[in-house]
Amino acid sequence: MTNRPPLRALHAFEAAARHGSFKAAAAELGVTPTAISHQVRLLEEICDLRLFQRRPRPLVLTSAGARLFPILRNGFDLLAGSLAAIAEPDVQAPLRVTSPNAFASRWLVPRLPKWREANPAVPLEIIGTDALLDLRAGAADVAIRYTRRPPVGFAAQELCRDSFFPICSPGLLASDGRAIERAADLLRYPLIHFDWMNRDPDAPTWRRWLETARSIDPDLPAKAWDLSFREELHAIDAVVAGQGIAICSDVVVGRELENGSLVKAHPLSLPGYSFYVVWMHHSPRSAVMESFLAWMRNVA
């Protein structure tokens, strides 16, 4: 035979042979016994062999039918098993986590050894990007979203909320030798700015901070920033290098504040946003995602 036999005919024969009855096969497949008989005859014509002995009861396979039946039965079982395996999540596949660049670099990456210690069988793929990847399209399994409110249409848990302070290296302040007693004292140093890609007019920037400080100190002079970056990470690198003062998230630079490599140059802060762990409802990897969420909350 050069052509593959019709799947419907193969399915009808396998069911009839397994049940030993056209009627039972018809009930399983949702057709009539006549339709089963027709499909079996079609397969016999294709094979040019009798597959059932033609007698009323019981239904008996011929020698050719007896050889064909286990091949089909095993083939259908293998196909069903393969489809089930495809439908099941691959527990060995990396859990793909998308996160804003600065959060991924400064907060998440330093904590990854603790994930590997607790979950050595679940690798992570970290996708650092400030773009919003489409979880519905399968671009990632879990997202860290930085926003004022939880995203709509997803499962979401708030991880933490941040505040923004003027941040600098302690060496920068020591180089001047004078204490910072009021907001105007910060203007002796270079001000470092970075772009807010979300275009939020209330974003915690130097403009907002100076406006807030001016409500306390009306004599605070105006000043533009001295150094500007497109990327938040580059601005933080400049701060660490002692090049000036930037308005930074106390979560993103939390480790540096804790170890003293960066300090708050002034106590006046601006409210930030929330970091949410976000994933699709009813995801096949929900168990792994719940473990990831629990780990994130534990190391936060």
Side-chain angles (χ1 to χ4, degrees):
M1 294 184 297
T2 58
N3 296 322
R4 295 179 179 178
L7 181 59
R8 184 178 300 177
L10 295 174
H11 205 178
F13 167 76
E14 189 275 337
R18 177 161 37 86
H19 288 290
S21 164
F22 283 2
K23 183 177 180 180
E28 176 184 315
L29 300 181
V31 297
T32 65
T34 301
I36 295 292
S37 177
H38 173 75
Q39 291 298 325
V40 169
R41 288 188 181 277
L42 175 61
L43 185 59
E44 288 177 329
E45 291 174 4
I46 293 172
C47 297
D48 196 21
L49 291 168
R50 285 288 185 89
L51 300 176
F52 288 105
Q53 296 181 14
R54 290 299 187 262
R55 59 185 185 184
R57 286 188 181 85
L59 191 62
V60 177
L61 290 165
T62 64
S63 60
R67 293 196 303 272
L68 179 60
F69 170 57
I71 296 172
L72 288 180
R73 179 191 58 204
N74 295 339
F76 282 129
D77 287 346
L78 179 61
L79 178 61
S82 299
L83 291 175
I86 292 172
E88 292 178 356
D90 185 355
V91 295
Q92 299 299 322
L95 183 68
R96 297 167 300 157
V97 181
T98 178
S99 165
N101 273 315
F103 184 84
S105 176
R106 295 282 172 173
W107 193 98
L108 183 56
V109 170
R111 291 168 168 80
L112 292 183
K114 294 182 179 180
W115 170 265
R116 291 194 295 272
E117 290 175 7
N119 302 272
V122 184
L124 296 181
E125 179 182 339
I126 306 301
I127 308 169
T129 176
D130 293 327
L132 293 182
L133 300 189
D134 190 349
L135 296 184
R136 292 187 177 90
D141 299 309
V142 184
I144 309 300
R145 294 281 168 81
Y146 186 53
T147 179
R148 295 196 187 278
R149 301 174 186 83
V152 177
F154 298 93
Q157 289 285 331
E158 186 181 56
L159 179 65
C160 58
R161 185 178 292 268
D162 64 358
S163 297
F164 280 73
F165 292 84
I167 301 293
C168 66
S169 71
L172 179 69
L173 300 182
S175 66
D176 183 82
R178 290 178 288 176
I180 293 180
E181 298 177 350
R182 52 194 288 259
D185 294 336
L186 295 184
L187 305 187
R188 301 197 300 260
Y189 303 92
L191 304 186
I192 297 174
H193 167 82
F194 61 88
D195 289 345
W196 279 80
M197 303 307 292
N198 62 4
R199 307 302 180 193
D200 182 358
D202 295 325
T205 61
W206 269 121
R207 179 186 61 79
R208 285 290 314 284
W209 192 91
L210 291 171
E211 287 176 355
T212 304
R214 198 167 286 115
S215 67
I216 302 171
D217 184 359
D219 296 328
L220 181 69
K223 180 181 179 179
W225 52 80
D226 301 277
L227 186 58
S228 181
F229 292 93
R230 180 68 59 87
E231 299 292 338
E232 181 181 3
L233 276 175
H234 297 161
I236 295 173
D237 288 340
V239 171
V240 172
Q243 296 179 18
I245 305 175
I247 303 296
C248 296
S249 162
D250 61 351
V251 169
V252 172
V253 298
R255 290 171 66 88
E256 289 81 2
L257 291 173
E258 184 176 346
N259 63 33
S261 58
L262 292 178
V263 296
K264 296 175 181 177
H266 194 279
L268 178 63
S269 66
L270 296 175
Y273 302 80
S274 288
F275 292 92
Y276 289 93
V277 183
V278 181
W279 66 98
M280 292 291 296
H281 290 289
H282 311 301
S283 168
R285 306 199 71 184
S286 292
V288 178
M289 295 176 191
E290 291 285 355
S291 296
F292 180 75
L293 172 61
W295 174 78
M296 290 279 285
R297 296 179 72 89
N298 184 56
V299 299

